Amino acid sequence: MPQPCTVVIFGASGDLTYRKLIPALYNIAADGDLPAALSVVGFARREKTDEGFRQELREAVGKFSRQGLNAELWESFEDRIFYHRSEFSDLEGYQRLAERLEELDQDRNTQGNRLFYLSVAPSEFGGILEKLAAVGLNKAKEGSWARVIVEKPFGTDLPSAESLNQVVNDVFREKDTYRIDHYLGKETAQNIMVLRFANSIFEPLWNHRYIDHIQITAAEPLGVEARGPYYESSGALRDMVQNHLLQLLCLVAMEPPTDLTADSVRDEKVKVVRALRAMTPEDVAHDVVRGQYAAGSINGKEVLAYRAEDRVDPQSMTETYVALKVHVDNWRWADVPFYVRVGKRLPKGGTEIAIQFKNAPGVLFNKDTSAVGPNVLVIRIQPDEGISLRIQAKRPGASLRVEPVKMDFHYGTSFGKASPEAYERLLLDAMSGDATLFARRDEVEGAWKFIDLIEQAWHQNPKPPALCPYPAGSWGPPEADALLERDGRAWRRM
Ligand code: BG6
């Protein structure tokens, strides 16, 4: 059970509060895991009363909570929620906040523990943190704590990430800084370590001797929705690969940590980040494909091209799809390619990691080894969370025909209950002081170092590699298929 505290959300009138943060806190309360002494203060610029804010959140919980809305529970829950109106730049607003938090500590017994959630654009971080420090809110009283949660994007390249980190760490210690990567809060992502290190049958095979290659895919049927301006300045590589997909790659590739403390786990992940093979512009041209969706159809519905989306440059060169071949240069992964792809407006939504093992020798069942397919272990992050293993079996009958079959584990059926949302787990962990599932400064900076080389090859190169169009509703540009075909491999059909 986490300790009593007050959660202060900066940017409380933004989408994240309504769609994720408050529904997550509500679901934690519904599961009986929220400390009785917990208050939430929404800090934002719009004029609103506590009552009005609660009413809006009630509707949001009805819409977005995985457990729906229970009127009785909501009544006791909403009593903890308050609204604090202020400009982010107004020091006086922070002084009033400090007083209000003191009062809440007295009235609600929140014990001086504070969790500040920065759900604002990174350009606002500096100003907010500086003012928190000016009124002393970054320092907790003896026996209490003050922590900060920072939302992505955490920088747009290495220099900007370093300076953001500096801004945050000037005010909060690294051990009190929680950088959210919501993929780490997903149940199946957490299960990767359990699968690997709580079973004895996988780990002996988990290396270059037995694994042919690994594929990591995050596919989304959605387009950029209303986020044109953000996405224009980001693109798929920065939006998804730098953070979510490299985090998944680290969990798959890392060595076993000595224990499960936050630093032991993150030490191992950062070693993987450091082992990522740096790409030259030639490597980028050869091993990275960037695509952009053209008009097409998803589930029978016509959809616009990326360039025709709201507030997107009609000549935009921003990528909505990336496929790349990555190498982790260490003993375990020598010569094992990791193929990573991510895209918007693909036919189906789903995130998965597929570990493809080397083929069995073909001497017995087929002289042509390729006819007997490889074993593939698939970790489905979402939807339909689970793990499946493809093995070869004999088809019943007089003749000896070998065919692939699947051994399947589904969270839903095995555990009989829905997995909590990523934000539930992450908020609980931050309230409990467990930073294992949050990105550490060196991980984030190391990931930018790798990504920057690709961005530079694309944008600072007199002859940048082409931006390949793909129709919305297809599995990406043909160049992405060619990336694997030339290695004698193919993307898995999802
Ligand atoms: C976000 C990206 O971090 O992750 C979005 O900014 C993306 O572009 C989203 O759609 C995907 O998250 P999920 O949990 O829906 O897979």
Side-chain angles (χ1 to χ4, degrees):
M1 187 68 108
Q3 289 157 339
C5 67
T6 304
V7 181
V8 182
I9 306 174
F10 287 91
S13 40
D15 229 28
L16 191 74
T17 309
Y18 295 90
R19 284 176 178 268
K20 297 287 180 192
L21 303 181
I22 297 294
L25 288 168
Y26 174 83
N27 283 321
I28 300 173
D31 288 345
D33 293 332
L34 208 61
L38 180 126
S39 310
V40 180
V41 176
F43 185 118
R45 294 178 270 224
R46 289 187 207 157
E47 202 63 65
K48 250 175 233 179
T49 57
D50 287 347
E51 216 21 74
F53 188 45
R54 288 172 184 170
Q55 192 49 41
E56 287 173 4
L57 295 177
R58 184 183 208 276
E59 277 165 35
V61 166
K63 248 188 143 154
F64 300 117
S65 145
R66 72 179 162 87
Q67 315 203 25
L69 180 97
N70 171 313
E72 210 177 303
L73 176 66
W74 176 260
E75 260 174 45
S76 60
F77 181 78
E78 72 167 5
D79 200 37
R80 313 154 174 263
I81 302 176
F82 305 91
Y83 187 76
H84 187 82
R85 202 212 80 80
S86 171
E87 293 297 319
F88 293 139
S89 57
D90 178 12
L91 186 62
E92 201 260 335
Y94 292 75
Q95 275 149 356
R96 285 190 287 111
L97 175 69
E99 285 157 24
R100 197 153 186 200
L101 294 181
E102 279 288 330
E103 282 164 26
L104 284 175
D105 284 342
Q106 303 302 325
D107 297 353
R108 308 270 160 162
N109 197 23
T110 34
Q111 302 180 9
N113 296 327
R114 276 100 196 236
L115 183 60
F116 297 103
Y117 200 118
L118 301 191
S119 171
V120 294
S123 54
E124 306 275 9
F125 288 180
I128 293 175
L129 291 165
E130 189 187 289
K131 291 186 191 59
L132 281 177
V135 298
L137 281 174
N138 60 327
K139 299 260 181 309
K141 294 199 190 107
E142 187 66 27
S144 309
W145 48 259
R147 301 184 186 130
V148 66
I149 299 188
V150 186
E151 262 293 333
K152 77 179 259 276
F154 210 73
T156 51
D157 55 13
L158 178 60
S160 62
E162 282 173 337
S163 58
L164 264 184
N165 277 326
Q166 202 47 54
V167 167
V168 177
N169 288 160
D170 281 346
V171 173
F172 286 93
R173 291 173 300 185
E174 178 61 22
K175 82 180 217 357
D176 294 321
T177 304
Y178 290 69
R179 292 178 195 79
I180 284 244
D181 186 310
H182 77 281
Y183 268 55
L184 289 177
K186 292 184 190 273
E187 196 63 49
T188 319
Q190 296 167 49
N191 201 21
I192 296 173
M193 272 210 289
V194 178
L195 173 81
R196 290 189 53 196
F197 305 133
N199 294 295
S200 58
I201 59 171
F202 299 118
E203 201 51 24
L205 309 180
W206 211 263
N207 59 52
H208 66 102
R209 289 204 189 119
Y210 300 100
I211 292 179
D212 179 72
H213 74 277
I214 293 178
Q215 296 185 13
I216 305 181
T217 301
E220 287 183 283
L222 292 179
V224 283
E225 313 282 283
R227 297 163 78 220
Y230 155 73
Y231 206 79
E232 277 287 271
S233 66
S234 163
L237 186 70
R238 289 184 174 126
D239 184 47
M240 294 281 289
V241 181
Q242 186 274 341
N243 36 68
H244 308 323
L245 296 196
L246 286 185
Q247 285 288 346
L248 294 180
L249 186 151
C250 285
L251 290 172
V252 171
M254 70 187 213
E255 296 301 314
T258 45
D259 55 42
L260 292 176
T261 56
D263 275 334
S264 299
V265 173
R266 297 187 300 177
D267 284 347
E268 295 308 330
K269 276 166 49 202
V270 85
K271 284 186 205 160
V272 177
V273 173
R274 288 196 198 118
L276 294 174
R277 185 182 300 169
M279 289 197 186
T280 62
E282 293 70 41
D283 294 336
V284 173
H286 193 248
D287 290 343
V288 187
V289 173
R290 58 179 187 142
Q292 187 190 67
Y293 62 83
S297 83
I298 302 259
N299 294 331
K301 203 175 142 236
E302 300 296 305
V303 295
L304 295 175
Y306 174 70
R307 290 179 180 180
E309 299 274 16
D310 180 30
R311 291 173 298 158
V312 167
D313 179 353
Q315 262 129 45
S316 173
M317 293 299 282
T318 302
E319 81 286 357
T320 59
Y321 177 100
V322 204
L324 63 163
K325 176 160 117 175
V326 179
H327 285 279
V328 177
D329 278 336
N330 61 17
W331 186 91
R332 187 190 282 264
W333 297 115
D335 297 326
V336 179
F338 287 69
Y339 298 100
V340 175
R341 65 177 162 163
V342 55
K344 294 211 183 272
R345 286 289 189 224
L346 300 188
K348 233 168 115 180
T351 304
E352 66 164 46
I353 301 167
I355 323 282
Q356 183 161 323
F357 291 87
K358 292 188 174 165
N359 275 353
V363 282
L364 286 183
F365 300 112
N366 205 320
K367 296 276 185 264
D368 169 13
T369 47
S370 61
V372 174
N375 297 121
V376 184
L377 180 72
V378 177
I379 304 171
R380 282 189 308 275
I381 306 290
Q382 62 187 15
D384 186 22
E385 295 98 323
I387 296 170
S388 70
L389 179 63
R390 186 169 76 172
I391 55 174
Q392 308 301 326
K394 178 187 169 298
R395 172 178 267 281
S399 66
L400 185 58
R401 272 181 61 192
V402 177
E403 279 188 18
V405 291
K406 264 203 307 190
M407 291 168 70
D408 234 344
F409 150 62
H410 295 262
Y411 264 79
T413 40
S414 297
F415 293 115
K417 68 178 210 177
S419 301
E421 291 250 345
Y423 276 93
E424 297 174 33
R425 172 64 197 261
L426 296 173
L427 281 166
L428 264 176
D429 281 3
M431 290 188 260
S432 317
D434 181 353
T436 314
L437 301 178
F438 293 82
R440 205 168 59 186
R441 179 174 180 160
D442 48 0
E443 286 177 72
V444 171
E445 292 178 1
W448 276 123
K449 201 167 157 199
F450 172 76
I451 293 295
D452 278 1
L453 293 173
I454 304 175
E455 290 283 349
Q456 280 156 15
W458 284 350
H459 301 294
Q460 292 170 20
N461 188 339
K463 278 203 193 141
L467 178 67
C468 313
Y470 60 98
S474 70
W475 277 105
E479 288 81 351
D481 295 331
L483 178 73
L484 270 71
E485 275 160 19
R486 80 175 185 229
D487 294 344
R489 300 178 175 118
W491 292 109
R492 256 177 56 77
R493 264 204 266 143
M494 288 179 57

